[in-house]
Structures are given as structure tokens and as C-alpha cells.
Amino acid sequence: MLLFLSQEPERRPRPGLGLRPPAAAAASAGPAAMSSVCGGPVGAGSLPSELVVHIFSFLAAPDRLRASAACSHWRECLFYPALWPRLRLSLRVCPAERPRLDFLMRKCGWFVRELRVQFAADNYPSGGGGGGASGVCEEATAVAAAAVAAAVATDGEAPLCPRWLELLRTYLELVLCVLSSVRNNRNLQKLSLFGDISILQQHGSIYLSKVDPDGKKIKQIQQLFEEILSNSRQLKWLSCGFMLQIVTPTSLSSLSNPIANTMEHLSLLDNHIPGNTTLITAVELERFVGLRSLALDFCDFTAEMARVLADNNHVPLHRLSLLVHNISVMHKSLENMPEDEDWKALTRNSTNLRVYVMAFDIKSDDMLRILKPSIPLERIHFDSYITCVSGAVVDLISRQYDKFLTHFILMNDVIDTSGFPDLSDNRTEDPLVLLAWRCTRLSLLAVHGYTVWAHNLIAIARLRGSDLKVLEVTEESIDFDQGELADQDVDPVHNLIEQVSLGLGRPWHAVMDIELLSVFTEPTRHFYREMQSFSEGI
């Protein structure tokens, strides 16, 4: 969690505040120092609450907590509502977080105006390591999910890991704590919830049936969420991603018409909705006439929805984020997706619209159907474990979206690194080089799990130069021609680093440790974080 309140900070003066606790002042200055000209006490404890709050307002959150240790009066002033208009928490899904979260939400939950909470498992019990704050190990997740699937296929029942059960049980408790604390908060303007429990994405329902067999906790969570929506009077931003059934198809009906009409951002992403069920329909979307940014599962974004957003009664849409997930594609149909004419109509009404697409394990044939020419695609992120992106898809993107594309991420999280797919196979021109040549606004390129030839990497750097602000390519993805390796006079690795650095106009090196980059190790979290900033950057 970003704020740790379980331990009492050491009672000592805070450097730079110019004030000392009353006890310390009395000990050093004697009784005379405890009375003013008017006969009243002086010192930290005598400052008016308004002045203490004003002083605290200039401090960062950690410094406020330290300053509150000066005396009980300052500690009481710490949780004045004006000091905490926004609360952004990153919670480890472990029992130790519960008392800290209880205390913090009890103090701030009733008045906070912006609440952002990210839930992340600290250590997955599958045994893999993992980088980043959440300790996500995607490879271990895939292996464990495959093992569960195999057990279900052979024996009819998966062997359940006790620590996974505990993980989910703790997760439900933390979610209940957060939602119950803000249920009556009528000042809430922004609510963002993200549940990075990716190890349970494939078989979360199996574990959920054991942890919550009668469904009482899930129903309570859903009811609390609907209660928050129905009690809201100022809500402008609602974002809920991968929260394991917290949102239902009836949740948005709890919003009053005035709040729905003035909502500016709506994000509903959940892969656990069964069958063909959607979290929002085109009819429901008609109430949200003030939306400026929207994030949905691609299979939920239908042609009818595009027509609703293209209507003149709707304010122009500026940001649209779409998650294309293989689980959704398996259970839902692509038949209702917007056609090119629908995209043309939408962009006529929303001339500044930009689209962000995240594709998880999607077949190239499906991507070729999805990528309509009139989509104003600014960012695209491919992440796969089984299905690789073809050179034809990359070539299509570079030809259709050359005027819009700024971010291109290509990740193939394969376990066997002995042979990466080569996008330039049987092609005279490398698709990534063509992407850099055609897309003149390209500012970010990240590649892992696909072969990138050294000479092509140099060409990309020279084509885009300093305009390419981020160029992340993992070391194991880079390969060299036999001619480069045979030249005894030149070190190919040193030459690559030197030439790419010259092309970019700044020092460059390949990514040596993939665990340091969340875009590779935590794709879901990376997408959600980028989607938030993408939506806010209107």
C-alpha cells in the first residue's frame, strides 16, 4: 500500500518544520518558554488547527505522516478532508494489509474525492519469481493454468492450491473493506479499481466456488458497488478493470440519469463475464451523452454502440480503449463489431478521436478482420503466449495507420527462447523497418519474443532518430547476420550499440533484464495504467 499506518513513527522533530513537540521544547527551554506574553501556552500543540492543516497542505503524504507524530493535536489534524482530496493505493493481497487498510479507509473513505486502488498479489504460490510491485510471474501463471486444465480434463476436478485459495479469500476481504468505506461518500468524483489477480483469470470460478460456495461475498460486493453508484452525486470517472465479477450487467442501472448524463470517463473491463453477457448495452450507453473517454472489451463494442457515439446528441468522444482478449473472442462473436462505415461515421462526429488497442493471444486472421482502415489507431499492444503476430498484420498497421500510430508494443512471452518467430521471413522488406518508415509519429517501439535483426534495428533508429523516444528491445530478441559475426575486426554487439545510439542521438542499449520492464512482465497492469493516462490526456 502506498501509505503504511500500522507503525507509529518515531517521536522526533521533523527537519525543516521549525517546530518541536511540546515535551522537547519544555525540556530544553524550561518553564518560561511555555508561556507567551498573553499568558497562554506556546509550542506545536498550541497552533490553531487551521494553521496546522495549512502547513500540512504543503507537504507530501509521507511527510504529513511523519509530522503527525509531533503531538496528538497534529495527529488529529492529519486527516482533515482538505488534505486528502485524492487517495491512490497499491495493495498487496496479503492479510497484513487488512488492518492498515481498515484504518485508512475508516479515516478517509467518507470524504475522499478521488479513489484509485490497485490490488496485486505479492507472491504467487506457483514458485516463480517475478518483477515489479506485484510479483507477477506470467510464465508460472501459464504453466499452472495448463496444469489445472489438464487435471480438469483427466480427472474432472482440478487440484486446488491452498495458497491460491487464501489469496482469493484475502482479495475478497480487501475489496469489501474498500467498497464498504465509500458506500455513503456523495463527494466521490473519481473511482478506479484494478484487480491484478491474473493467476486466477483462467480458473477463477473454480477457486471462487470453494472460497465463496454460496456466493454471499460476491453478492455483497456487487451490492456495495451498486450502492456506491446509486449514492453518488458528483461521479465523473468510473473505471473498473479485471475485478473478478464486481461489475454485473445491471450495475450501471444504479446510476441516476443526471450522473450518467454528466459522466466523462467509463471503463468496464472484465474477462469473467459468462457466455455472451455484456457489461453495457447500446441502449444503456445512450444515457452517457457526456462521455469523452471509453474503455471496453472489444467484443462488447458493437456497431450499434458506434452509431450511438456517432449521434449528434453525444459529445465528441476523444479516447477509446479496446481490449481484444482470446477468452472473449472464444465466447463471444466478432460478427457485431463495427464495420468501416461505422468507424467513418464515428470519426466524423469525433474528429479528435484516438484509439488504443490491447490484443491478448489473438489470431492474425482475427486481427486482420478487426483492424478497419478508418480506425484512428494511436496505440497498439500485442501480447501472446500461444499465437504469434504475423508480418502481414504489422504491415497492415503501418500502411493503414501511418498518420496516427505513436505506440507499438510487440510481445511474445514464449518459454522456449531458442527460436523466436521472424516477421521478415520470406519478405524483401522487414515489417518493423517499414513501420518506422511509414509511421512518422512513432515515439515508442518495444519488442520481445520476435527476432529483430541487428541491421534492421540500426535502420529503425536512423529512420526515426530522436523522435523515437523509447526503443526497448530485449537482448535475446536481437540476432546477427552470419557476415556480421564472421567479421573479426568488428565486435557486432559494440557496433550495434554504437550505431543505434548514433541514430537516436542518445545512448542506447538492449534490455538485459526483462523483469525490470512492466510492459513485458505485467502486460495487464501496464495496459490499465497506460489506458488511464491515455484517457486523462485529453
Side-chain angles (χ1 to χ4, degrees):
M1 199 165 69
L2 294 182
L3 301 177
F4 295 96
L5 303 178
S6 61
Q7 277 191 324
E8 186 79 7
E10 185 180 351
R11 294 176 178 272
R12 61 183 182 183
R14 173 70 178 146
L17 290 178
L19 296 166
R20 293 186 297 171
S28 61
M34 295 301 295
S35 59
S36 66
V37 176
C38 299
V42 295
S46 66
L47 291 174
S49 298
E50 293 82 359
L51 181 56
V52 175
V53 170
H54 182 67
I55 293 172
F56 278 5
S57 68
F58 293 97
L59 301 178
D63 291 330
R64 292 176 196 167
L65 294 174
R66 296 188 188 99
S68 69
C71 63
S72 60
H73 175 52
W74 282 24
R75 194 155 45 250
E76 290 173 3
C77 295
L78 174 67
F79 290 104
Y80 190 78
L83 294 176
W84 303 100
R86 61 184 62 87
L87 205 58
R88 300 183 179 186
L89 308 177
S90 181
L91 295 171
R92 294 176 294 113
V93 180
C94 66
E97 289 284 39
R98 181 59 191 270
R100 292 192 282 257
L101 183 64
D102 275 338
F103 175 81
L104 186 61
M105 297 308 299
R106 188 171 63 252
K107 290 286 188 180
C108 301
W110 62 277
F111 62 74
V112 67
R113 292 179 179 272
E114 177 183 337
L115 178 62
R116 293 190 179 189
V117 184
Q118 292 189 8
F119 300 89
D122 190 37
N123 256 317
Y124 284 119
S126 51
S134 66
V136 176
C137 180
E138 301 287 358
E139 180 178 308
T141 300
V143 172
V148 173
V152 172
T154 55
D155 303 329
E157 185 173 350
L160 301 181
C161 173
R163 288 188 61 193
W164 287 12
L165 292 170
E166 182 61 29
L167 178 74
L168 184 54
R169 189 176 293 111
T170 304
Y171 166 76
L172 295 178
E173 291 295 331
L174 294 178
V175 173
L176 280 170
C177 177
V178 170
L179 296 184
S180 59
S181 66
V182 296
R183 64 195 300 180
N184 295 317
N185 184 346
R186 299 198 171 196
N187 295 320
L188 196 62
Q189 296 177 2
K190 286 188 175 184
L191 177 60
S192 175
L193 303 171
F194 172 72
D196 186 15
I197 312 297
S198 55
I199 200 167
L200 299 172
Q201 282 185 5
Q202 296 292 332
H203 300 283
S205 58
I206 298 175
Y207 282 85
L208 196 58
S209 64
K210 297 295 182 181
V211 172
D212 188 27
D214 52 5
K216 285 185 177 180
K217 284 189 176 180
I218 285 293
K219 289 178 181 177
Q220 185 181 358
I221 287 173
Q222 293 171 348
Q223 289 171 357
L224 281 171
F225 185 72
E226 292 180 2
E227 193 173 338
I228 292 169
L229 299 186
S230 63
N231 289 334
S232 64
R233 295 296 179 268
Q234 302 182 42
L235 196 62
K236 303 291 184 184
W237 180 290
L238 179 60
S239 183
C240 191
F242 313 106
M243 286 296 294
L244 199 61
Q245 300 182 17
I246 186 174
V247 186
T248 68
T250 60
S251 295
L252 292 181
S253 61
S254 302
L255 283 170
S256 64
N257 282 331
I259 297 300
N261 293 161
T262 56
M263 185 80 71
E264 295 178 358
H265 171 83
L266 181 63
S267 172
L268 300 175
L269 302 168
D270 192 347
N271 298 326
H272 295 91
I273 301 301
N276 292 322
T277 308
T278 59
L279 295 177
I280 184 172
T281 63
V283 174
E284 183 71 42
L285 188 62
E286 289 179 356
R287 295 201 300 151
F288 294 83
V289 294
L291 276 185
R292 296 184 179 274
S293 62
L294 176 65
L296 292 176
D297 187 294
F298 181 82
C299 292
D300 292 347
F301 186 69
T302 63
E304 189 177 357
M305 279 190 177
R307 289 190 284 270
V308 169
L309 295 172
D311 191 274
N312 290 330
N313 293 327
H314 197 287
V315 302
L317 191 68
H318 288 255
R319 297 290 186 267
L320 177 61
S321 301
L322 298 171
L323 175 67
V324 193
H325 204 290
N326 65 325
I327 296 176
S328 296
V329 173
M330 281 192 298
H331 293 95
K332 301 175 183 180
S333 173
L334 292 175
E335 299 302 322
N336 296 322
M337 67 179 178
E339 296 298 330
D340 197 51
E341 290 301 318
D342 300 312
W343 284 107
K344 287 180 179 179
L346 179 55
T347 52
R348 278 196 297 269
N349 182 55
S350 304
T351 55
N352 294 320
L353 176 64
R354 296 295 179 266
V355 177
Y356 182 7
V357 172
M358 173 75 176
F360 278 101
D361 253 333
I362 302 299
K363 297 177 182 178
S364 291
D365 290 343
D366 288 332
M367 284 307 304
L368 293 173
R369 291 178 58 196
I370 289 169
L371 295 172
K372 305 299 183 186
S374 298
I375 300 177
L377 184 66
E378 183 174 287
R379 304 183 182 193
I380 189 162
H381 181 168
F382 291 100
D383 186 80
S384 59
Y385 302 98
I386 303 170
T387 305
C388 296
V389 176
S390 67
V393 171
V394 179
D395 187 60
L396 180 72
I397 290 170
S398 68
R399 284 188 285 105
Q400 290 188 166
Y401 312 118
D402 55 304
K403 295 179 181 179
F404 299 103
L405 193 70
T406 62
H407 291 56
F408 186 83
I409 299 174
L410 190 60
M411 178 180 172
N412 180 29
D413 196 10
V414 293
I415 298 175
D416 180 15
T417 60
S418 59
F420 288 149
D422 185 359
L423 295 175
S424 62
D425 259 357
N426 302 319
R427 290 173 177 270
T428 53
E429 297 290 345
D430 181 78
L432 290 176
V433 174
L434 290 175
L435 183 85
W437 176 52
R438 291 167 175 160
C439 301
T440 55
R441 299 184 66 234
L442 189 68
S443 61
L444 184 148
L445 177 62
V447 182
H448 168 67
Y450 291 84
T451 298
V452 180
W453 294 98
H455 61 272
N456 288 331
L457 192 54
I458 294 171
I460 291 169
R462 290 175 177 173
L463 283 167
R464 293 271 51 86
S466 59
D467 291 337
L468 189 59
K469 304 300 182 184
V470 178
L471 177 59
E472 302 286 4
V473 182
T474 54
E475 182 193 24
E476 57 263 41
S477 300
I478 300 173
D479 206 348
F480 296 88
D481 288 332
Q482 291 301 317
E484 294 173 309
L485 296 174
D487 190 346
Q488 299 295 325
D489 297 329
V490 179
D491 179 1
V493 176
H494 181 271
N495 181 65
L496 171 68
I497 295 173
E498 182 181 28
Q499 293 300 318
V500 173
S501 299
L502 285 172
L504 296 176
R506 64 179 184 273
W508 176 90
H509 58 81
V511 178
M512 307 298 288
D513 186 1
I514 191 175
E515 300 296 333
L516 299 177
L517 296 176
S518 64
V519 64
F520 296 130
T521 59
E522 301 171 324
T524 306
R525 178 185 290 269
H526 175 84
F527 167 67
Y528 192 77
R529 182 174 61 245
E530 289 298 304
M531 181 271 294
Q532 297 269 79
S533 62
F534 177 68
S535 299
E536 289 174 334
I538 299 175

